[in-house]
Amino acid sequence: MHITKITGLSALALIMSLTSAGALTLEEVKEQGYIRAATANEVPYSYMQPDGTSAGIGPDVANAVLKQIGIEEVNWTVTPFGTLIPGLKARRFDFAAAEQNISPERCQQVSFTEPNSSYGEGLLVKKGNPKGLTTYADIAKDPSLKVAVVSGANNVDFLRAVGVKDDQIVFIPANADAIPTVESRVDAYAATELTVSELAKDQANVEQVAPFEDPIVNDAPVRNYGGFAFRPEDQELRDAFNAALVEFRKTDEYKAILAKYGVSEASIAAAAEKNVADLCAGK
C-alpha cells in the first residue's frame, strides 16, 4: 500500500482548497435565486412583522443593498441573539442582519462589513426608577442589585468593565423577556438605547432611565457599531455586499431608513466615521 506523506505546506494548501470549495459566492447566490439571512427579532434593529416580512435597521438596509448587487429574494430566519454567530458558522443561514456590535472577539469568528449603525447604551427599570439608577456604574455600587442582559449580547462586557459582579447579572434568552424580568426579579435590564426606548413605549410598569450616562470604558464613553456578519470563507460574497453598502450609506434613502427607526443624525454620522478594521482591532 502506497502512503503519501503530507507536508506542512501541502496540508495548508489542502485546508485552503477545502475552505475555498465550501465558500458561497455571489454568482452561486444569483444562480439559486435567493439568499438566507438571520434576524434576532429585536426592535428596532432586526425583527419580523406579523405578516412574515422583515423589518428593522438591518433588514431594511440589507434588502436595499442586496438589490444593488442583483439579489431580489431573501429568506429570513429568526434566531436568538446568542445563536447568530453559531448558526452562521453552522451554515443555517448565509449572513446575519441583526446590527451586532463589531467587536474584536466577534471578528475572530465572523467577517463583518463596514458599520451600518451606531448606538449607545440604556437601562430599563421599574416605573419611577425606584433605585435611582443613572448609569451602569450605579449597579456596581450596590451588590444587592440585579441586572438582566440577553445571552450573547456585549452589554455584559460593559457591565463587568464598570465593576458589576457576575452574581448580579441575570441572563435572559431574548429581548422579549426583558419587561417581565424587570417587573418580577431584577432591578434593571441593560441593552442599547434604541432597544430600551422601544421596550418602554406605552408601558405602565417600566420606563427608560433618563437622563442616562453611557458607561466609561478605557477612558471613553461606550458606543456600539453594528454591522452585517458573514462567514470568513465567504469573503467574495461579503466584499460584494460591503462595497454596495459603502455606496448605499451615501444616499438619502439610507439615512431615511435609519431615521425612521429613531437613529439620530449624530449616530448616523458616527457610523460612517469608523471602519471595520479599527473596530476589529479594538480601536
Side-chain angles (χ1 to χ4, degrees):
M1 180 175 67
H2 178 70
I3 299 175
T4 301
K5 183 178 180 181
I6 299 178
T7 66
L9 287 175
S10 297
L12 178 59
L14 176 61
I15 292 170
M16 291 179 67
S17 175
L18 290 172
T19 299
S20 176
L24 179 66
T25 67
L26 176 59
E27 189 61 32
E28 288 172 335
V29 173
K30 289 181 178 179
E31 287 178 1
Q32 72 185 13
Y34 65 89
I35 193 169
R36 302 173 303 160
T39 162
N41 231 16
E42 182 178 2
V43 180
Y45 302 104
S46 67
Y47 60 100
M48 301 303 290
Q49 301 187 98
D51 64 359
T53 57
S54 63
I57 297 168
D60 282 9
V61 172
N63 287 331
V65 170
L66 289 168
K67 287 180 181 178
Q68 296 294 320
I69 58 176
I71 302 171
E72 295 287 339
E73 183 177 339
V74 187
N75 292 350
W76 290 94
T77 294
V78 177
T79 189
F81 190 89
T83 66
L84 283 165
I85 289 179
L88 180 62
K89 294 168 69 175
R91 308 187 76 85
R92 290 197 288 271
F93 37 85
D94 302 318
F95 76 105
E99 296 308 294
Q100 292 166 286
N101 184 53
I102 303 169
S103 68
E105 296 76 20
R106 289 174 178 159
C107 290
Q108 292 178 7
Q109 302 182 70
V110 298
S111 180
F112 278 105
T113 63
E114 294 297 333
N116 182 52
S117 62
S118 177
Y119 43 90
E121 296 292 290
L123 276 176
L124 186 76
V125 296
K126 294 178 179 66
K127 186 68 75 173
N129 191 8
K131 302 298 182 178
L133 303 177
T134 61
T135 187
Y136 289 176
D138 290 340
I139 300 169
K141 295 174 184 176
D142 185 347
S144 71
L145 298 181
K146 301 287 185 182
V147 57
V149 66
V150 168
S151 296
N154 68 322
N155 311 89
V156 68
D157 298 327
F158 307 144
L159 289 166
R160 288 168 173 158
V162 298
V164 177
K165 305 300 183 186
D166 281 359
D167 62 6
Q168 294 180 268
I169 300 170
V170 175
F171 290 100
I172 58 177
N175 186 51
D177 302 304
I179 291 176
T181 301
V182 171
E183 289 176 331
S184 63
R185 60 193 181 102
V186 300
D187 301 287
Y189 169 62
T192 68
E193 58 181 327
L194 294 179
T195 294
V196 172
S197 176
E198 286 291 332
L199 285 170
K201 283 183 180 177
D202 304 318
Q203 292 297 318
N205 299 323
V206 296
E207 66 181 50
Q208 181 177 20
V209 168
F212 176 83
E213 295 180 20
D214 280 326
I216 304 297
V217 178
N218 297 327
D219 299 321
V222 165
R223 177 159 282 274
N224 298 275
Y225 296 88
F228 299 95
F230 289 78
R231 288 182 291 271
E233 61 266 32
D234 298 343
Q235 195 66 29
E236 187 263 355
L237 176 61
R238 177 266 179 197
D239 288 350
F241 184 99
N242 189 61
L245 170 63
V246 170
E247 290 304 309
F248 187 63
R249 290 191 311 180
K250 301 174 184 177
T251 68
D252 290 338
E253 182 183 355
Y254 164 76
K255 295 171 184 175
I257 289 173
L258 271 64
K260 178 177 71 173
Y261 290 108
V263 182
S264 67
E265 290 186 10
S267 288
I268 292 173
E273 291 169 358
K274 278 284 187 177
N275 65 71
V276 66
D278 284 347
L279 292 169
C280 285
K283 299 179 182 178

